[in-house]
């Protein structure tokens, strides 16, 4: 991309059409066309080998229509329309023709009378020879996938005669189509203006000689070679057709009379040259000349091209006279082919693939003009991505390595950030190019998804791609990855966005370039750019341009030497210094300005660090050896020596360093952004011109920033080498104190300009369009939604945002025309005006930069650009502190306060919309500090009042002058409300506390100020409101103790109690209400209120909610040692559970009953802590009475006598209060209910009796229900609790009767006792096994056996446990069993209870109520003769077998007792059985046993009687 011509300007991008949505329509095909295609098709031109495009400018203000035919779709014409008076339309028209088109398509304004609704005409010719004239409507009126109506299409077959030759050239104007053929003939058709069958529709342009007229149509004479090119041009209101033939003949035809006015054969040195193209310029009526340009191609090498420029003189008289003069200029195109040429009467522009050549045809002073060139955007893109051939991009890695100490943690993200920022900046970023590049890395998106991505999202996608590629391992790997990526990106950029043709707007003299996917304009160079470009060649060829703004020739020579040194430094570091410097300032945290310069200067002085050398040896360059390292060292030494020599030469030429510094200072003044004074009328900028200005500003600011940085490095280099170059102390001080601060300020200003020009805007937060809509009152015109959609896009920068707003202001940079595109000079002028407005604004004061920066911040803040505002103000603040003017700013006009106020606003916006977690907390802290600093500045009241309402605090009226304290108080309240609006309670909390400190002085000033703020409120009211706010914000921050402190500090009682209620509600909702009971909060006079609020909340809360407020009241009173109240509240909880649970759907829920049970237990435990005389609970308050009052009423206090009068207390307990006994009774009943609920048994006693009677007695049905469901423990507990004396015995007998019946085999279905071996071992078995008495039993199922076995065990356990309450219980059990089944085998344990029941001093069968005699009688009564006989025999044997010690005792009177009546009854029953003949053998055996036992017993008794008588005698 190198160039030898002087640089005249640069390309600046306007807009990209890669996001255009095309509407596809088709041209209908007629049947005649299909039938007419015969042998002509073979002569048709082949498919297109390259893309073709052009543009037409119509209307006033001009509308630009761009058409294009791509080689991949040779039958489709894409039409795009844009205008500077409207926003760029994202809609295009894609017209599909039936077949391949001729590369020339003409679009023009419809000048036919019937042009209403069809403003444009399109002429196109197909390869088969059909011509079309389309009457086009507005592009947006078409519908996709539709056909153009037939009445809007005119079709004509050009091959009407068999001998028609192929079409080689086409030209057209409104109402006329001209066709040039291979045989040199030219035909003119009134297509679109006349009917095809109307006379005069077709004319063939022939030689007008008499001979040809005589021949007529019989003979046609070939007048010239094939038509090579044709151009229709208007000269003095007449249309002329310029025809270039392949044999070099140039002919001009007057279309008004179809006559030839010129026939000239071109004479060139090489007659074999190929004539390629013809261009006709505008007519110069003053000199009566028309400029022509013809492109020649060398016959041997067609890539060698030359453009010759001719002048055609014309004169008007009786007839038109034209004379072609010899060529005046020639432009050889040695490198790069000619893409397009645009010719004016005094200028010519030649577009090559690597540059735009410009030549002034009217050279002054008789000297031939020198061709100049405009740099294309390819060069700018390559330079930005470090792909330029002028320098090595490796310096990015080397300098970054030298700046950062860490080789990976800091260098890797720093390098990526440099490339990403440059890749996405205006002029470099292209949507289609980036998408094609990412496609190579298998990243796919749909069109809508990719077009909707913001710059931040694109950045994240690229960084994620790097992670996926694994290129973040080392700095070298990330650098090499980026180098490869940028190489691919530039390849796609040059391919997909190649230049197409030149766009010239004759109205404004604008020069543009239409590319495949974008449109751009060319601009001139700024003065400093011209100077620096003059020294951009090799150092030994420095000559530079003429500098008319330098004082004299000697100063110019000194300046040349200074520039030589500056360029040497620039060449040493490469052009990557600016990128590293800029990224260092944009990094987080920001690297200090002086630190960056110092590290770069160290590289100039000592070379790269050792770590860089190690990287070169190992990672980056495999072939990097000692020779290369020695060469690098040699280059460094050469640079150092050359710099020393240059500095000495500079000092020698200036005679002293003072004069050199004067020249440098004069030179630096031209880096300062100019103050523009011209005033123009306000007007709205267009979308196209805004883009032009933004891109031009970024280019110029980049050059200025880069050059200023080089000068700064040069000055620092001079200071570091002051001893070697003889720099005096005064000169060194001057550099440090004057020049370096001056150039640093210049760098700061251009850095801000560049930052605004290249930084994409932030996408708007969702809240910005809804809840925070008031902050976005940017403009009121109808198209404001258009730019809102651009926020966050790469091509919509901060500068674009500023221009949209400020161009509508009378004080803004209003210099952009909405009528047409800007010419090269106007672009530079507009850029100067814009930069002047950014730096100087409308003021000319020294502090204008501070004021202007705040104005910019206001605009950006209003648009939600929080990051940009913070960075802008941070840079200005840092620069102001470097200049040591911060104190002056605080004293001057309030600028310091405005700056911190805006900084606080943007930090608050960042915290609200963008940040989360610790980052948000830190940003909130910074915002708080900024607002406090803003309030501390002098004259801050007047300064902040001048801000717009969107970013300033609401103004208020005051009477007289306002004190500083009163104003701060108002500002703190406004800040509090602002933080509250953004739901950031931390800041609102701080400013509420700050406002509280100033209430007394602000509301009631004690100084001499005559005016106060119009509060009309007392200090207590204001304090109450602020303390209430402090309480609210503390709750939001979950600072519960601070919230409570705000409550007790509130002097307004009403507000205090409202906050207290809210405090309890919030504690309850946050599950933190337990802190009320832990003793950590001092209830200073609020204990009763807290209790009332808790009771009020508990009575109105759901009983099932957690935590339970009644439990909290219980704990609250327990903590206060108020046991009686604690028991009352927890019992009230139990009562509500009983009442409301029975009414609701949860009446069967065991959890509710368990909750009641626990509540009763807690009430009993609390009353155990009270003196027994006061162990009672106050009567329950009726719920209706509670709900009818706002707070529960206090009860009257009792006197001392009432409290300690025992009789009165007992009477009160009996009639009105619930004592311990009643609580315990209810506890037992509730326990029963709980057990039944576990078995899903409904409690059947909800409607019986009142509460007091219910807890004093229990129904027998409850005991039956418990026994029926095997809840024996609970049943006996109820019996023991509620029955006494004989009633207790009767209830026990009734229960054991029921339990015994459960053990009966008949109740289980059949007897299973004998079949269970475990039970058999417990039964009393007869000596003969008893099988002769009882029949066999049927077996029970296993489940019933198990139930039977369990009932026996249960009966044994409870009978053993409770027989002490009633000695007859065993007897009741046996009697019940035998009554149910007289043949049942009794368990051994049950029989043993009777045997063990004898009294200690009696022998025989007597004893307690359950004794052997009782069992014997039951045996006999129920026909159990065998068991009765054996029991009697056992007792008699036991009596007879006593030991010697007991023999004496049994001989006492009444010591032996046997149931002789029962024995006699047994004897009689056995005899009856024998007589009846029933079981005679068994009965005989029993009778014999009984007879023997009785006989022996009687003998023993007689012996004992005789012994007694003998002893008495």
């Amino acid at each position: 991309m190198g160039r030898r011509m002087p640089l005249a300007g640069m390309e600046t991008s306007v807009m990209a059409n890669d996001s255009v949505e095309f509407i596809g329509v088709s041209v209908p095909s007629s049947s005649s066309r299909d039938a007419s295609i015969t042998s002509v098709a073979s002569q048709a031109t082949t498919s297109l080998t390259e893309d073709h495009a052009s543009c037409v400018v119509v209307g006033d203000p001009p509308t630009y229509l761009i058409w294009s035919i791509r080689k991949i779709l040779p039958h489709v014409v894409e039409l795009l329309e844009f205008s500077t008076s409207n926003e760029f339309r994202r809609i295009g028209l894609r017209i599909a023709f039936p077949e391949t088109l001729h590369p020339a398509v003409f679009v023009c304004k419809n000048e036919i009378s019937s042009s209403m609704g069809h403003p444009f005409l399109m002429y196109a010719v197909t390869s088969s020879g059909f011509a079309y004239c389309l009457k086009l409507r507005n592009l947006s009126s078409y519908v996709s996938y539709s056909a153009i109506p037939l009445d809007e299409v005119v079709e004509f077959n050009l091959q009407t005669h068999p001998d028609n030759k192929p079409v080689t050239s086409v030209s057209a104007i409104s109402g006329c189509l001209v066709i040039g053929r291979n045989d040199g003939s030219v035909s003119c058709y009134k297509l679109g203006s006349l009917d095809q069958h109307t006379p005069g529709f077709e004319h063939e342009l022939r030689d007008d000689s008499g001979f040809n007229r005589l021949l007529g149509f019989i003979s046609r004479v070939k007048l010239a070679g094939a038509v090579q090119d044709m151009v229709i041009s208007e000269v003095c209101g007449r249309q002329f057709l310029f025809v270039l033939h392949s044999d070099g003949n140039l002919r001009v035809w007057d279309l008004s009379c179809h006559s030839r006015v010129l026939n000239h054969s071109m004479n060139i040195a090489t007659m074999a040259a190929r004539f390629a193209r013809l261009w006709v310029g505008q007519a110069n009526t003053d000199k009566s000349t028309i400029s022509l340009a013809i492109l020649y191609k060398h016959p041997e090498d067609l890539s060698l091209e030359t453009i010759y420029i001719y002048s055609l003189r014309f004169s008007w008289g009786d007839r038109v006279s034209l004379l072609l003069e010899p060529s005046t200029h020639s432009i050889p195109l040695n490198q790069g082919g000619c893409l397009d040429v645009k010719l004016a009467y005094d200028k010519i522009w030649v577009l090559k693939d690597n540059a735009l050549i410009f030549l002034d045809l009217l050279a002054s002073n008789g000297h031939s003009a020198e061709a100049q060139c405009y740099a294309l955007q390819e060069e700018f893109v390559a330079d930005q991505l470090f792909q330029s051939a002028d320098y090595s991009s490796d310096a990015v890695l080397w300098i970054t390595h030298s700046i950062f100490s860490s080789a990976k943690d800091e260098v890797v993200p720093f390098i990526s950030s440099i490339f990403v920022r440059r890749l996405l900046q205006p002029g470099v970023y292209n949507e289609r190019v980036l998408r094609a590049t990412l496609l190579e890395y298998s990243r796919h998106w749909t069109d809508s998804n990719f077009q909707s991505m913001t710059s931040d999202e694109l950045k994240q996608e690229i960084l994620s791609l790097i992670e996926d590629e694994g290129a973040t391992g080392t700095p070298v790997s990330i650098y090499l990855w980026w180098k490869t990526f940028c190489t691919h990106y530039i390849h796609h950029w040059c391919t997909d966005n190649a230049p197409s043709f030149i766009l010239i707007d004759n109205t404004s003299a604008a020069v543009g370039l239409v590319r495949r996917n974008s449109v751009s304009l060319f601009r001139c160079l700024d003065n400093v750019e011209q100077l620096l470009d003059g020294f951009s060649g090799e150092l030994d060829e420095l000559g530079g341009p003429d500098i008319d703004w330098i004082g004299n020739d000697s100063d110019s020579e000194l300046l040349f030497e200074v520039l030589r040194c500056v360029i040497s430094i620039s060449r040493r570091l490469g052009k990557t210094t600016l990128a590293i410097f800029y990224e260092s300032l944009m990094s987080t945290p920001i690297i200090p300005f002086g630190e960056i310069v110092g590290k770069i200067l160290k590289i100039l002085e000592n070379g790269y660090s050792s770590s860089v050398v190690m990287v070169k040896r190992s990672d980056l360059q495999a072939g990097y050896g000692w020779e290369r390292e020695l060469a690098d060292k040699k280059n460094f030494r050469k640079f150092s020596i050359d710099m020393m020599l240059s500095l000495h030469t500079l000092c020698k030429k200036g005679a002293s360093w003072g004069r050199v510094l004067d020249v440098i200072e004069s030179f630096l003044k031209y880096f300062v952004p100019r103050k523009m004074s011209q005033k123009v009328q306000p007007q709205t900028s267009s979308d196209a011109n805004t883009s032009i200005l933004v891109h031009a500003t970024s280019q110029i600011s980049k050059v200025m920033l880069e050059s200023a940085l080089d000068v700064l490095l040069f000055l620092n280099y001079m200071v570091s080498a002051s001893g070697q170059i003889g720099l005096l102390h005064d000169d060194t001080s001057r550099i440090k104190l004057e020049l370096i601060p001056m150039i640093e300020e210049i760098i700061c200003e251009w850095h801000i300009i560049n930052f605004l020009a290249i930084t994409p805007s932030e996408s708007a937060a969702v809240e910005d369009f809804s809840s925070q809509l008031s902050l976005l009152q940017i403009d009121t015109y109808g198209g404001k939604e258009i730019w809102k959609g651009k926020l966050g896009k790469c091509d919509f920068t901060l500068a674009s945002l500023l221009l949209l707003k400020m161009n509508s202001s009378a004080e803004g940079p209003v210099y952009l025309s909405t009528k047409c595109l800007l010419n090269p000079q106007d672009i530079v002028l507009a850029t100067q005006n814009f930069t002047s407005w950014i730096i100087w604004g409308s003021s000319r004061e020294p502090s204008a930069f501070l004021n202007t920066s705040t104005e910019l911040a206001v605009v950006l803040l209003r648009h939600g650009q929080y990051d940009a505002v913070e960075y802008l103000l941070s840079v200005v603040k840092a620069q102001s502190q470097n200049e040591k003017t911060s104190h002056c700013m605080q004293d001057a006009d309030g600028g310091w306060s405005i700056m911190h106020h805006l900084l606080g606003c943007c930090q608050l916006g960042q915290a609200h919309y963008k940040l989360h977690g610790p980052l948000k907390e830190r940003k909130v802290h910074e915002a708080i500090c900024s607002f406090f600093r803003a309030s501390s500045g002098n004259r801050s009241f007047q300064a902040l009042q001048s801000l717009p309402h969107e970013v300033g605090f609401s103004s208020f009226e005051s009477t007289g002058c306002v004190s500083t304290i009163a104003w701060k108080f108002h500002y703190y309240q406004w800040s509090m409300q602002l933080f509250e609006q953004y739901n950031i309670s931390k800041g609102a909390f701080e400013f509420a506390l700050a406002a509280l400190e100033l209430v007394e002085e602000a509301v009631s000033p004690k100084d001499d100020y005559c005016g106060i703020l119009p509060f009309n409120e007392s200090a207590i009211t204001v304090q109450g409101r602020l303390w209430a706010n402090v309480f609210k914000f503390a709750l939001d921050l979950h600072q519960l103790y601070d919230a409570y402190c705000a409550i007790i500090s509130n002097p307004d009682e009403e507000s205090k109690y409202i906050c207290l209620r809210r405090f309890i509600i919030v504690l309850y909702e946050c599950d933190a209400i337990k802190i009320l009971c832990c003793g950590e909060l001092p209830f200073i006079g609020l204990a009763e209120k807290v209790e009332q609020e808790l009771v009020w909340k508990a009575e109105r809360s759901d009983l099932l909610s957690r935590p339970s407020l009644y439990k909290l009241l219980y704990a609250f009173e327990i903590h206060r040692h108020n046991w009686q109240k604690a028991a009352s509240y927890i019992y009230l909880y139990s009562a509500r559970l009983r009442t409301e649970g029975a009414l609701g759907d949860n009446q069967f829920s065991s959890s509710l009953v368990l909750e009641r049970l626990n509540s009763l237990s807690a009430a009993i435990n609390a009353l155990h802590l009270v003196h027994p005389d006061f162990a009672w609970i106050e009567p329950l308050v009726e719920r209706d009475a509670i709900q009818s009052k706002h707070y529960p009423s206090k009860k009257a206090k009792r006197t001392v006598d009432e409290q300690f009068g025992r009789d009165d207390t007992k009477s009160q307990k009996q009639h009105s209060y619930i004592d311990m006994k009643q609580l315990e009774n209810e506890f037992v009943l509730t326990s029963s209910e709980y057990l039944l609920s576990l078995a899903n048994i409904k409690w059947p006693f909800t409607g019986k009796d009142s509460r007091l009677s219910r807890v004093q007695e229990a129904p027998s049905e409850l005991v039956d229900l418990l026994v029926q469901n095997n809840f024996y423990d609970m049943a006996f507990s109820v019996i023991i609790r509620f029955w006494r004396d004989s009633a207790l015995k009767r209830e026990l007998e009734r229960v054991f009767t029921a339990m015994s019946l459960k053990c009966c085999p008949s109740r289980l279905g059949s007897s299973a006792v004998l079949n269970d071996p475990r039970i058999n071992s417990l039964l009393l078995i007869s000596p003969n096994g008893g099988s002769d008495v009882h029949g066999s039993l049927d077996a029970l199922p296993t489940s019933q056996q198990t139930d039977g076995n369990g009932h026996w065990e249960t009966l044994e356990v409870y009978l053993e446990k409770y027989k002490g309450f009633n000695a007859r219980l065993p007897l009741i059990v046996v009697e019940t069993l035998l009554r149910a089944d007289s043949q049942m085998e009794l368990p051994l344990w049950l029989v043993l209870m009777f045997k063990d029941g004898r009294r200690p001093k009696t022998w025989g069968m007597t004893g307690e109520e359950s004794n052997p005699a009782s069992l014997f009688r039951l045996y006999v009564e129920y026909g159990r003769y065998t068991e009765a006989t054996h029991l009697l025999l056992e007792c008699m044997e036991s009596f007879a077998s006593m030991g010697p010690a007991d023999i004496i005792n049994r001989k006492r009177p009444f010591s032996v007792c046997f149931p002789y009546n029962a024995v006699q009854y047994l004897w009689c029953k056995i005899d009856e059985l024998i007589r009846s003949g029933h079981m005679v053998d068994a009965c005989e055996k029993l009778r014999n046993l009984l007879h023997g036992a009785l006989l022996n017993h009687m003998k023993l008794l007689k012996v004992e009687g005789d012994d007694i008588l003998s002893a008495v005698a």
Side-chain angles (χ1 to χ4, degrees), residues 66-78:
I66 301 174
W67 65 265
S68 61
I69 303 176
R70 302 185 183 276
K71 61 182 179 181
I72 58 175
L73 294 173
H75 67 291
V76 175
V77 176
E78 293 180 352

Side-chain angles (χ1 to χ4, degrees), residues 113-352:
S113 59
S114 59
S115 61
M116 185 63 64
H118 301 87
F120 308 115
L121 293 178
M122 175 184 287
Y123 290 93
V125 178
T126 65
S127 58
S128 62
F130 276 83
Y132 290 89
C133 176
L134 305 183
K135 301 175 184 180
L136 300 179
R137 304 189 303 267
N138 291 326
L139 303 189
S140 58
S141 64
Y142 288 93
V143 180
S144 294
Y145 307 106
S146 62
I148 300 178
L150 291 175
D151 59 350
E152 298 178 4
V153 179
V154 180
E155 181 183 17
F156 179 70
N157 185 6
L158 298 176
Q159 307 294 340
T160 55
H161 299 287
D163 56 346
N164 286 143
K165 300 300 182 181
V167 177
T168 58
S169 181
V170 179
S171 185
I173 57 174
S174 180
C176 181
L177 174 66
V178 182
I179 301 298
R181 300 181 184 276
N182 191 26
D183 59 355
S185 62
V186 178
S187 300
C188 179
Y189 303 91
K190 300 294 183 179
L191 193 63
S193 59
L194 292 179
D195 185 78
Q196 301 177 11
H197 305 288
T198 302
F201 171 77
E202 177 182 359
H203 289 277
E204 183 174 355
L205 302 182
R206 297 184 299 226
D207 194 348
D208 207 18
S209 63
F211 177 76
N212 286 330
R213 285 197 304 270
L214 290 175
L215 291 177
F217 66 90
I218 299 176
S219 174
R220 296 186 177 184
V221 179
K222 185 178 179 181
L223 304 178
V227 176
Q228 193 70 28
D229 199 3
M230 295 188 303
V231 178
I232 299 177
S233 178
E234 182 179 352
V235 181
C236 298
R238 303 178 67 174
Q239 301 291 344
F240 291 90
L241 175 65
F242 294 79
V243 182
L244 177 64
H245 295 268
S246 60
D247 57 0
N249 284 329
L250 175 64
R251 294 183 178 185
V252 181
W253 302 82
D254 187 352
L255 293 181
S256 61
C257 59
H258 305 101
S259 62
R260 188 185 65 190
V261 295
L262 177 66
N263 183 14
H264 181 82
S265 178
M266 310 302 298
N267 295 319
I268 56 175
T270 305
M271 295 303 298
R274 177 182 173 184
F275 299 87
R277 295 287 306 277
L278 169 68
W279 294 275
V280 180
Q282 297 174 341
N284 188 347
T285 56
D286 295 335
K287 296 184 179 182
S288 299
T289 58
I290 303 174
S291 299
L292 302 179
I294 299 178
L295 175 65
Y296 298 93
K297 292 188 176 183
H298 196 277
E300 296 179 359
D301 188 358
L302 296 180
S303 62
L304 297 179
E305 301 175 343
T306 305
I307 295 178
Y308 288 90
I309 303 170
Y310 300 89
S311 179
L312 181 64
R313 291 193 173 273
F314 62 88
S315 62
W316 309 109
D318 296 337
R319 54 178 300 179
V320 178
S321 176
L322 300 179
L323 177 62
L324 184 64
E325 296 181 349
S327 175
T328 57
H329 300 83
S330 64
I331 303 176
L333 307 177
N334 298 326
Q335 296 181 356
C338 176
L339 301 179
D340 191 23
V341 173
K342 286 295 184 291
L343 186 63
Y345 69 90
D346 57 346
K347 301 179 182 67
I348 185 173
W349 295 269
V350 179
L351 177 62
K352 300 171 57 178

Side-chain angles (χ1 to χ4, degrees), residues 1402-1407 1413 1417 1435 1439 1454-1460 1497:
T1402 61
W1403 285 264
M1405 299 180 70
T1406 60
R1417 293 188 187 99
C1435 292
F1439 177 79
F1454 307 104
S1455 60
V1456 177
C1457 179
F1458 282 93
Y1460 297 109
H1497 179 67

Side-chain angles (χ1 to χ4, degrees), residues 603-621:
I603 297 175
L604 290 175
E605 295 175 349
N606 305 323
Y608 293 114
S609 62
S610 58
S611 62
V612 174
V613 177
M614 296 301 297
V615 171
K616 287 185 177 181
R617 291 177 181 176
S618 59
D619 296 337
L620 184 61
Q621 299 173 356

Side-chain angles (χ1 to χ4, degrees), residues 833-850:
N833 286 332
F834 182 51
T835 56
S836 173
W837 176 79
I838 291 177
I839 302 301
W840 303 103
S842 57
S843 174
R844 297 295 179 265
E845 299 177 1
S847 61
F849 184 41
L850 172 62

